[in-house]
């Protein structure tokens, strides 16, 4: 998978068209010039989401009412597709070759794995960040899973609204059970699909963990909130039982207490919880290791590599880890990384493409040098 080019219009401070190179692409420049914005634009093109905000209208330049990101993507068979995400204040459109496509189909066109300071929440933060990490990976293997998640979240939202209303006018268990029955029936079915999608992906991810790169021995395990409550092998049956048993508690809480929205991912360094006991360096290395495993799993499924985005790489990883990482990635995946210290990457001059970012414009350093030489020859 190769992102040949990307163009930005009205997106943050970005401007113009950038033609990327194969392999490693280094975006360098002073802080605040737009380096991370370009990574965000690439991520948006791939997933129609931002890794920095849930509110996409915040990415629209304050002087504009709409924005768009477009790009040309080539697969291993050299088939090119034109992707585009159009944003307005309250709407989002995804297009392939100029034709609108639903997100479930658009999600199969380009996949990006992203390492940023915010993504360290997967290691350091709460369960939601880890669930999102698993879900992104599961979608990359089976794009229709995005619709399953959407349906599940809609049912949870509708059921929560009903529970909150019922908390104000408690009608008795029999009436409540009748009202909740259609929502719980949907929850049982959708929860089973989410549980299987996540556990299967975590199993693949665990098998793909690369322990030799940084010498860090980590392991992961999907932790269902139904563990210890019954037979997980009959997940739908157990869900149905727990929903009945906890019905009154859900009313009192005004919330949905049962389901995979309360699950987690256990990440261990040796036999210790990495979130609580891992050093900062171990946590960063662990996230990179998880990202590389996600890339490997994607490749095993599609016989193609996703693209890899690394923001402010020299701030997040030490020089030794950066060298090992880039050597590992070379020849595998198209990589985009940002840095304010270009000198740290001079040793990759022959294998990397360098782009200077200034005022939201990314200029190919090689093209800039060629233009200067050409102008000199003309004179």
């Amino acid at each position: 998978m190769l992102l040949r080019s990307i163009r930005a219009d009205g997106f943050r401070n970005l401007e113009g068209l950038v033609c990327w190179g194969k392999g490693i692409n280094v975006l360098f420049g002073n802080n605040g010039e737009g380096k991370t914005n370009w990574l965000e634009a690439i991520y948006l093109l791939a997933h129609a989401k931002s890794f920095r905000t849930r509110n996409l209208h915040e990415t629209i330049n304050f002087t504009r009412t709409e924005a768009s990101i477009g790009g040309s993507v080539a697969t291993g068979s050299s088939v090119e597709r034109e992707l585009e995400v159009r944003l307005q204040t309250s709407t989002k459109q995804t297009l392939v070759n100029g034709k609108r496509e639903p997100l479930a189909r658009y999600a199969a066109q380009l996949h990006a794995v992203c390492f940023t300071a915010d993504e360290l929440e997967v290691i350091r933060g709460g369960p939601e960040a880890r669930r999102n990490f698993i879900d992104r990976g599961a979608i990359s293997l089976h794009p229709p899973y995005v619709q399953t998640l959407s349906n599940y979240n809609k049912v949870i939202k509708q059921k929560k609204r009903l529970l909150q209303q019922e908390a104000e006018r408690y009608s008795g268990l029999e009436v409540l059970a009748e009202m909740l029955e259609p929502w719980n029936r949907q929850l049982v079915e959708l929860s089973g699909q989410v549980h299987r999608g996540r556990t299967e992906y975590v199993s693949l991810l665990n098998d793909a963990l690369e322990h030799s790169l940084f010498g860090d021995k980590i392991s992961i395990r999907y932790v269902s909130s139904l563990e210890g409550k019954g037979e997980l092998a009959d997940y739908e049956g157990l869900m149905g039982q727990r929903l009945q048993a906890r019905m009154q508690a859900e009313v009192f809480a005004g919330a949905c207490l049962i389901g995979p929205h309360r699950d987690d991912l256990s990440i261990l360094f040796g036999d210790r919880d990495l979130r609580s006991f891992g050093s900062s360096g171990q946590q960063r290395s662990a996230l990179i290791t998880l990202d590389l495993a996600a890339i490997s799993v994607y490749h095993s499924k599609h016989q193609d590599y996703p693209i890899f985005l690394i923001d402010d790489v020299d701030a997040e990883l030490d020089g030794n880890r950066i060298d090992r990482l880039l050597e590992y990635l070379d020849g595998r995946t198209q990589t985009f990384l940002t840095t304010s210290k270009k000198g740290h990457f001079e040793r990759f001059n022959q294998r990397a493409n360098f782009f200077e970012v200034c005022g939201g414009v990314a200029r190919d350093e090689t093209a800039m040098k060629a233009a200067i030489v050409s102008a000199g020859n003309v004179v």
Side-chain angles (χ1 to χ4, degrees):
M1 183 174 291
L2 180 67
L3 178 61
R4 293 193 181 280
S5 64
I6 192 169
R7 59 168 176 76
D9 182 28
F11 183 84
R12 296 203 185 271
N13 74 327
L14 303 187
E15 181 182 333
L17 172 75
V18 186
C19 296
W20 306 111
K22 297 179 180 179
I24 299 170
N25 294 273
V26 179
L27 288 78
F28 68 93
N30 295 327
N31 293 331
E33 296 293 341
K35 301 186 299 297
T36 301
N37 291 348
W38 279 113
L39 292 195
E40 184 184 20
I42 295 171
Y43 191 87
L44 179 74
L45 186 70
H47 300 294
K49 293 181 179 180
S50 165
F51 60 74
R52 301 164 83 183
T53 177
R54 292 184 177 182
N55 303 313
L56 286 180
H57 69 270
E58 295 176 0
T59 68
I60 301 174
N61 189 291
F62 69 92
T63 66
R64 305 283 294 275
T65 58
E66 57 186 19
S68 68
I69 298 293
S72 177
V73 177
T75 61
S77 60
S78 297
V79 175
E80 291 205 20
R81 299 177 301 282
E82 296 296 324
L83 308 184
E84 186 178 7
V85 179
R86 297 175 182 171
L87 304 176
Q88 293 182 323
T89 303
S90 58
T91 62
K92 172 179 67 179
Q93 295 181 7
T94 49
L95 302 92
V96 179
N97 293 330
K99 179 182 177 182
R100 290 187 63 177
E101 291 284 2
L103 186 58
R105 293 179 62 179
Y106 183 88
Q109 306 300 319
L110 177 65
H111 184 61
V113 175
C114 186
F115 176 87
T116 70
D118 289 341
E119 280 297 295
L120 282 166
E121 286 296 296
V122 172
I123 306 295
R124 299 172 175 172
E128 182 179 8
R130 289 181 284 280
R131 290 194 298 265
N132 289 341
F133 176 80
I134 300 169
D135 288 337
R136 287 194 298 270
I139 291 169
S140 77
L141 301 190
H142 187 61
Y145 178 72
V146 73
Q147 190 60 55
T148 300
L149 285 175
S150 176
N151 293 341
Y152 178 83
N153 290 329
K154 287 177 182 177
V155 172
I156 287 291
K157 184 177 181 180
Q158 293 294 333
K159 180 181 173 181
K160 181 179 179 181
R161 182 179 294 123
L162 177 60
L163 288 169
Q164 291 173 341
Q165 291 172 350
E166 186 60 20
E168 298 176 359
R169 58 162 202 274
Y170 188 55
S171 306
L173 287 179
E174 290 187 6
V175 174
L176 177 61
E178 184 177 347
M179 289 190 296
L180 290 177
E181 194 275 334
W183 301 113
N184 284 343
R185 187 173 62 248
Q186 293 181 70
L187 273 186
V188 167
E189 179 182 355
L190 291 168
S191 293
Q193 295 174 22
V194 172
H195 178 78
R196 283 188 293 274
R198 288 178 177 173
T199 53
E200 289 171 5
Y201 182 72
V202 169
S203 177
L204 293 171
L205 201 64
N206 210 17
D207 291 341
L209 289 172
E210 174 60 65
H211 301 294
S212 62
L213 187 62
F214 301 130
D216 296 338
K217 181 69 174 179
I218 71 168
S219 60
I220 59 176
R221 186 177 72 85
Y222 188 72
V223 183
S224 170
S225 54
L226 297 187
E227 279 190 16
K229 307 298 183 182
E231 183 53 61
L232 274 174
D234 180 19
Y235 188 86
E236 284 87 347
L238 181 57
M239 268 290 297
Q241 295 171 17
R242 296 304 298 168
L243 286 169
Q244 289 298 318
R246 299 285 285 168
M247 180 172 56
Q248 195 166 16
E250 287 191 322
V251 174
F252 291 153
C256 302
L257 303 178
I258 309 297
H261 63 288
R262 301 178 69 86
D263 293 353
D264 202 351
L265 178 70
S266 171
I267 306 175
L268 300 179
F269 183 85
D271 59 352
R272 304 176 68 180
D273 179 63
L274 194 62
R275 176 173 179 256
S276 300
F277 300 104
S279 69
S280 179
Q282 288 170 340
Q283 291 174 343
R284 286 173 165 83
S285 294
L287 181 56
I288 283 286
T289 301
L290 287 174
D291 284 341
L292 296 182
I295 289 171
S296 178
V297 169
Y298 184 94
H299 181 261
S300 296
K301 170 72 174 181
H302 299 288
Q303 288 71 56
D304 201 357
Y305 285 106
I307 60 178
F308 192 23
L309 313 178
I310 314 174
D311 190 35
D312 207 9
V313 61
D314 46 304
E316 298 300 333
L317 298 173
D318 59 47
N320 184 44
R321 282 181 168 85
I322 292 172
D323 287 350
R324 291 185 185 183
L325 175 62
L326 295 187
E327 290 290 347
Y328 177 87
L329 293 172
D330 193 25
R332 281 185 168 89
T333 178
Q334 187 183 25
T335 301
F336 301 83
L337 62 87
T338 68
T339 179
S340 58
K341 303 177 181 67
K342 180 196 171 190
H344 288 187
F345 302 90
E346 294 291 349
R347 57 194 175 282
F348 294 97
N349 268 346
Q350 301 305 313
R351 290 178 290 169
N353 312 284
F354 289 83
F355 297 84
E356 182 177 12
V357 180
C358 183
V361 177
R363 296 181 175 86
D364 185 339
E365 187 177 60
T366 301
M368 290 167 58
K369 290 180 179 177
I372 292 171
V373 170
S374 176
N377 290 338
V378 171
V379 174

